[in-house]
Amino acid sequence: MASSKIQSVAVYCGSSSGTKPEFELAARELGKHFADNNIQLIYGGAKVGLMGHIANEVLIHNGKAIGVLPTFLAAKEVAHDALTEMHMVDNMHERKAMMHELSDAFVALPGGYGTFEELFEMITWGQLGLHKKPIAILNVLGYYDALAAQMKNMVEYGFLKQDAHDMVLVATSVTDLMRQISGYHAMQGHKWISDLEQT
């Protein structure tokens, strides 16, 4: 069971379901876990793709699903119409800021450019000490293996410190994902300060 301090989790994931059924199954499993453990889903507010699957699973099991959707996307008829709450915002920047404020942790499922952009913004904010919330990747079918390898390269070539690398949790199952989130301890210190001190 998730720690009691984790009451809401922002999930970043695809507006497509991808090419493998395991992606949808993972989204649904995570959604059911949230509902069963009274964890609110905070997500992008759409009814399509993995976004729709996780929200639907939360709602089917009487959990709370809260969407944050820019108005220009609602106009394209992708808005989920059965959420617990829907927050309409003016743009993508406001969406990310509100999702951050509403959430105790962040999780990335498989997705495209938008998922990566949202994930890395939260990683960067954490690295700079702007928040101390857990950030995790659910690595379904090895989808994020190449990203994990690139992050190791960043350490090896001196562009990322090991503690900043270790700040990002990676799991291959929902059980392990939530275990790591519950036991997370925030990185101490700021990478950019230590670099300036060395120059």
Side-chain angles (χ1 to χ4, degrees), residues 95-142:
R95 172 197 252 181
K96 289 181 290 184
M98 179 172 285
M99 289 178 70
H100 166 263
E101 290 299 321
L102 293 174
S103 304
D104 299 319
F106 311 98
V107 170
L109 294 175
Y113 284 154
T115 299
F116 277 64
E117 190 268 340
E118 290 170 320
L119 170 65
F120 270 94
E121 182 148 1
M122 289 304 105
I123 293 172
T124 303
W125 288 10
Q127 183 184 24
L128 295 176
L130 299 178
H131 73 77
K132 296 184 179 297
K133 302 174 183 180
I135 306 161
I137 292 170
L138 185 55
N139 190 18
V140 184
L141 289 182

Side-chain angles (χ1 to χ4, degrees), residues 68-87:
V68 183
L69 188 68
T71 52
F72 77 91
L73 288 178
K76 296 179 184 296
E77 299 183 346
V78 299
H80 200 299
D81 59 3
L83 298 178
T84 310
E85 296 178 25
M86 177 70 90
H87 298 274

Side-chain angles (χ1 to χ4, degrees), residues 3-193:
S3 168
S4 59
K5 68 182 179 181
I6 302 295
Q7 300 179 352
S8 59
V9 176
V11 174
Y12 309 123
C13 59
S15 57
S16 166
S17 296
T19 59
K20 303 292 184 182
E22 288 86 352
F23 298 146
E24 177 182 338
L25 290 173
R28 290 188 177 277
E29 183 181 355
L30 185 59
K32 184 176 186 301
H33 179 93
F34 286 173
D36 289 347
N37 290 275
N38 297 314
I39 298 171
Q40 293 184 126
L41 168 67
I42 312 297
Y43 87 116
K47 63 183 178 183
V48 294
L50 296 187
M51 299 174 75
H53 292 310
I54 190 170
N56 289 338
E57 198 70 15
V58 169
L59 296 168
I60 286 169
H61 294 281
N62 300 312
K64 294 182 178 179
I66 299 172
V68 183
L69 188 68
T71 52
F72 77 91
L73 288 178
K76 296 179 184 296
E77 299 183 346
V78 299
H80 200 299
D81 59 3
L83 298 178
T84 310
E85 296 178 25
M86 177 70 90
H87 298 274
M88 302 304 300
V89 295
D90 289 336
N91 53 57
M92 299 294 283
H93 297 292
E94 289 185 12
R95 172 197 252 181
K96 289 181 290 184
M98 179 172 285
M99 289 178 70
H100 166 263
E101 290 299 321
L102 293 174
S103 304
D104 299 319
F106 311 98
V107 170
L109 294 175
Y113 284 154
T115 299
F116 277 64
E117 190 268 340
E118 290 170 320
L119 170 65
F120 270 94
E121 182 148 1
M122 289 304 105
I123 293 172
T124 303
W125 288 10
Q127 183 184 24
L128 295 176
L130 299 178
H131 73 77
K132 296 184 179 297
K133 302 174 183 180
I135 306 161
I137 292 170
L138 185 55
N139 190 18
V140 184
L141 289 182
Y143 183 80
Y144 283 106
D145 284 354
L147 176 60
Q150 177 58 35
M151 291 168 66
K152 289 182 179 179
N153 282 344
M154 293 160 72
V155 175
E156 180 179 350
Y157 289 104
F159 290 100
L160 185 67
K161 294 190 180 298
Q162 187 66 48
D163 58 356
H165 171 279
D166 296 342
M167 179 179 68
V168 183
L169 312 174
V170 181
T172 57
S173 70
V174 169
T175 300
D176 186 39
L177 179 86
M178 298 310 299
R179 179 191 63 79
Q180 290 192 54
I181 287 174
S182 296
Y184 176 74
H185 296 286
M187 182 180 73
Q188 300 300 312
H190 297 166
K191 177 258 182 194
W192 52 275
I193 291 177

